[in-house]
Amino acid sequence: MHGPTDRMTRTPLAAGEAMLRKLQLHTSFTKTERQVLLALPMNHAYFAARDTIVHEGDALTRSCVLVDGFAARFKTLPDGSRQILSLHTAGDMMDLHSMVLEVADHGIAALSHVRVTYLTHAALLDASDRYPVIARALWRETLIDGSVFREWLLNIGRRDAYSRMAHLICEMKVKMEAIRLAREDGFPFPVTQAELADATGLTTVHVNRTMQRLRRDGLISTRGTDVLVEDWDALVDAAAFDPTYLHLRNH
Amino acid sequence: MHGPTDRMTRTPLAAGEAMLRKLQLHTSFTKTERQVLLALPMNHAYFAARDTIVHEGDALTRSCVLVDGFAARFKTLPDGSRQILSLHTAGDMMDLHSMVLEVADHGIAALSHVRVTYLTHAALLDASDRYPVIARALWRETLIDGSVFREWLLNIGRRDAYSRMAHLICEMKVKMEAIRLAREDGFPFPVTQAELADATGLTTVHVNRTMQRLRRDGLISTRGTDVLVEDWDALVDAAAFDPTYLHLRNH
DNA sequence: CGCAGATTTGAATGCAATCAACACTGGTGG
DNA sequence: CCACCAGTGTTGATTGCATTCAAATCTGCG
């Protein structure tokens, strides 16, 4: 694993935009607040698929925003088995909690070629102190994060493999739509079955067979790494999916 | 289920103390801040084992603190199956996140006879606005909450039944010790095997057999509803338990 | 082409679920 | 006082979902 391409330059506009768009899904900002957020000092870095963005146990002084691509947070057991805790898309602030907790109790890995932006905790805390709405928005972002973990707990603890996979696909579709990265002919989902296995608590073999069944049943289809939902109602039904836990305004 | 005994009187001192002691496990307060926290208007209520303290989907204007007894947060599936998301002991602020998220995306149930204290969101937000340390402490509390969910995700997704039960017992022991409710001869754990099943994503039958094995292997023993850890090292080893995720100062 | 990573398939095994009783406990009421 | 009952814990037998192990395609790419 050759380290990231780390460019200590001012961030391109799009980086702040991705974060802002995401925060605006649940919070309204004034013009000033938007400007403050966009003016935060940002460094960006690129990672290749399979790179580790943050290592478990690291002490952190900055949080990272996923600007482009797919990433996952994970924990590993001494025996090497891995559990993916969450999947992330553009705009996600993946370790905002480290702003307060300061030590990474889990790792973050790139699933595809990825671009991330770093925000120092110092700058975030400063903006939070000066603008209560920003503080509240960041807090809310971490709370939604927690809400998603709770849903995943239900997913892994009580749904069977079929329902579990269906639920994961529902979640990804809704997330991709929220940030306008889903199209009529499906959404990109460049995640290997081994990674899906780590995310669902299953094995790759079983993920494979379950995905086959979802296709055979006409709920989804795939083309390359894109997923197309063929029958949303049936998928939602199979998953017992209720998007409330995502706390998105438009859902 | 007959409603709670809801007494709209000033809270007895012990209620605020329980919360304060818990917050002080990770945050240092000045005398003033402590006084502000203890002076928050509190109403308390009692519930019997099996009562529902908060219903899934409720709109919330106050958060509750568990003062005495055991409680659990849970989600249910349309088919009636239930997943317990977390177990709580004295001092836990079980739905602090509702302060910002405002709708209960899960329920809270009493596992034993229970005493809770209600804090209005208005009062909490006011105290947060005036004392940044309090705001930070409450945020940290919700972040630790999220950290525990992540560990449970690993627990349920990747550990087998034996390791999973062992991990749950390790967590409870550490939590009970942190609030000084554990003694030499064990700690109270009045949770039925059906509830343990809902917490671990197993069935009651399998929980029963797994607990038997933990006893037979000499890792734990039980007396009534008390649990005594007979071999902590072996238990930690079986669970691959690392208390970092609890973010307690003394561990 | 040749190789590595990813997907797919097959067969055998096993962990945990399911179904069904039975035992034990504490509380209730006749 | 004891019969009764509900909830909890325990045990046995059976089933099945998911794992494990192994190997055969498939795909992209240098």
Side-chain angles (χ1 to χ4, degrees):
Chain A
M1 187 188 315
H2 26 72
T5 313
D6 207 317
R7 300 192 190 161
M8 288 302 160
T9 48
R10 276 281 162 175
T11 191
L13 239 192
E17 291 289 355
M19 169 184 65
L20 187 56
R21 189 179 305 181
K22 185 79 193 313
L23 290 175
Q24 285 181 326
L25 290 175
H26 56 68
T27 301
S28 300
F29 297 104
T30 63
K31 196 176 175 195
T32 310
E33 288 153 358
R34 277 200 298 276
Q35 286 170 343
V36 168
L37 284 169
L38 291 174
L40 286 169
M42 303 179 185
N43 295 311
H44 59 286
Y46 297 85
F47 293 88
R50 238 135 302 272
D51 279 357
T52 298
I53 301 173
V54 175
H55 293 82
E56 291 181 80
D58 275 4
L60 302 175
T61 59
R62 57 186 186 177
S63 288
C64 63
V65 182
L66 181 59
V67 179
D68 194 57
F70 287 78
R73 297 199 265 167
F74 65 92
K75 281 194 171 220
T76 49
L77 245 19
D79 72 359
S81 59
R82 185 173 80 149
Q83 176 65 44
I84 286 180
L85 308 167
S86 57
L87 294 178
H88 294 283
T89 55
D92 284 354
M93 307 181 80
M94 302 185 287
D95 57 356
L96 194 54
H97 58 284
S98 67
M99 197 175 145
V100 173
L101 257 26
E102 290 166 353
V103 60
D105 50 40
H106 64 263
I108 306 181
L111 300 183
S112 66
H113 189 265
V114 141
R115 184 153 69 101
V116 302
T117 290
Y118 294 110
L119 302 169
T120 66
H121 292 160
L124 285 168
L125 290 169
D126 179 60
S128 295
D129 287 344
R130 287 186 294 126
Y131 298 90
V133 171
I134 290 179
R136 197 62 46 83
L138 295 181
W139 189 7
R140 180 172 286 118
E141 190 69 13
T142 63
L143 291 177
I144 293 173
D145 204 48
S147 175
V148 175
F149 290 137
R150 290 192 285 274
E151 186 66 25
W152 277 48
L153 227 27
L154 174 64
N155 202 29
I156 292 179
R158 284 300 181 213
R159 279 186 258 252
D160 63 20
Y162 190 73
S163 181
R164 213 181 291 181
M165 286 297 313
H167 193 277
L168 186 62
I169 294 167
C170 286
E171 178 175 312
M172 290 311 296
K173 181 174 159 67
V174 169
K175 283 191 69 163
M176 292 298 277
E177 279 172 349
I179 54 173
R180 298 172 203 288
L181 253 37
R183 286 167 309 179
E184 282 300 312
D185 60 337
F187 61 90
F189 194 45
V191 178
T192 69
Q193 295 187 346
E195 287 155 352
L196 289 177
D198 285 343
T200 52
L202 301 170
T203 56
T204 61
V205 174
H206 203 52
V207 165
N208 182 278
R209 288 177 173 139
T210 305
M211 289 292 283
Q212 285 182 44
R213 197 145 77 83
L214 284 169
R215 285 195 297 254
R216 191 166 355 106
D217 293 350
L219 303 197
I220 64 166
S221 63
T222 56
R223 224 181 29 201
T225 60
D226 282 19
V227 170
L228 173 59
V229 174
E230 299 281 358
D231 188 341
W232 175 248
D233 291 344
L235 193 66
V236 165
D237 192 58
F241 179 74
D242 175 352
T244 307
Y245 73 97
L246 290 169
H247 294 275
L248 299 172
R249 274 243 188 75
N250 318 328
H251 288 275
Chain B
M1 187 188 315
H2 26 70
T5 313
D6 207 319
R7 300 190 191 163
M8 289 301 159
T9 49
R10 276 281 162 174
T11 191
L13 238 191
E17 291 290 356
M19 169 183 67
L20 186 56
R21 189 180 304 181
K22 185 77 193 313
L23 291 175
Q24 284 180 326
L25 289 175
H26 56 68
T27 300
S28 300
F29 299 103
T30 63
K31 196 176 175 196
T32 310
E33 288 154 357
R34 276 200 298 276
Q35 286 170 342
V36 167
L37 284 169
L38 291 174
L40 287 170
M42 304 179 185
N43 295 311
H44 59 286
Y46 297 86
F47 293 88
R50 237 135 306 271
D51 279 356
T52 298
I53 300 172
V54 175
H55 293 83
E56 291 180 81
D58 274 5
L60 302 176
T61 59
R62 58 186 187 178
S63 289
C64 63
V65 182
L66 182 59
V67 178
D68 194 57
F70 287 78
R73 296 199 264 168
F74 64 91
K75 281 194 172 220
T76 50
L77 244 21
D79 72 359
S81 59
R82 186 174 79 150
Q83 176 65 44
I84 285 180
L85 309 167
S86 57
L87 295 178
H88 295 284
T89 55
D92 285 353
M93 307 180 82
M94 302 185 287
D95 57 356
L96 194 53
H97 58 285
S98 67
M99 196 174 145
V100 173
L101 255 26
E102 288 165 355
V103 60
D105 49 40
H106 64 264
I108 306 180
L111 300 182
S112 65
H113 189 266
V114 141
R115 184 153 68 101
V116 303
T117 290
Y118 294 110
L119 302 170
T120 66
H121 293 159
L124 285 168
L125 290 169
D126 179 61
S128 296
D129 287 343
R130 288 186 295 125
Y131 299 89
V133 171
I134 291 180
R136 197 62 47 84
L138 295 181
W139 189 7
R140 180 173 286 119
E141 189 70 12
T142 63
L143 292 176
I144 294 173
D145 204 47
S147 175
V148 175
F149 290 136
R150 290 193 286 273
E151 185 66 26
W152 277 48
L153 227 28
L154 174 65
N155 202 30
I156 291 179
R158 284 299 180 214
R159 278 187 258 250
D160 64 19
Y162 190 74
S163 180
R164 215 181 289 181
M165 286 298 314
H167 192 276
L168 186 61
I169 294 168
C170 286
E171 177 175 313
M172 290 311 295
K173 181 174 158 68
V174 169
K175 284 192 69 164
M176 291 299 276
E177 280 173 348
I179 54 173
R180 298 173 203 287
L181 252 37
R183 286 167 310 178
E184 281 301 312
D185 61 337
F187 60 91
F189 194 45
V191 178
T192 68
Q193 294 187 347
E195 286 155 352
L196 289 176
D198 285 343
T200 52
L202 301 169
T203 57
T204 62
V205 173
H206 203 54
V207 165
N208 182 279
R209 288 175 173 140
T210 304
M211 289 292 283
Q212 285 182 43
R213 197 146 77 83
L214 285 169
R215 286 193 298 253
R216 191 167 355 105
D217 293 350
L219 304 196
I220 64 166
S221 64
T222 55
R223 224 180 31 200
T225 60
D226 282 20
V227 170
L228 173 58
V229 174
E230 300 281 359
D231 188 340
W232 175 248
D233 290 345
L235 192 66
V236 165
D237 191 58
F241 179 74
D242 175 352
T244 308
Y245 74 97
L246 291 169
H247 294 276
L248 299 171
R249 273 243 189 74
N250 318 325
H251 289 274

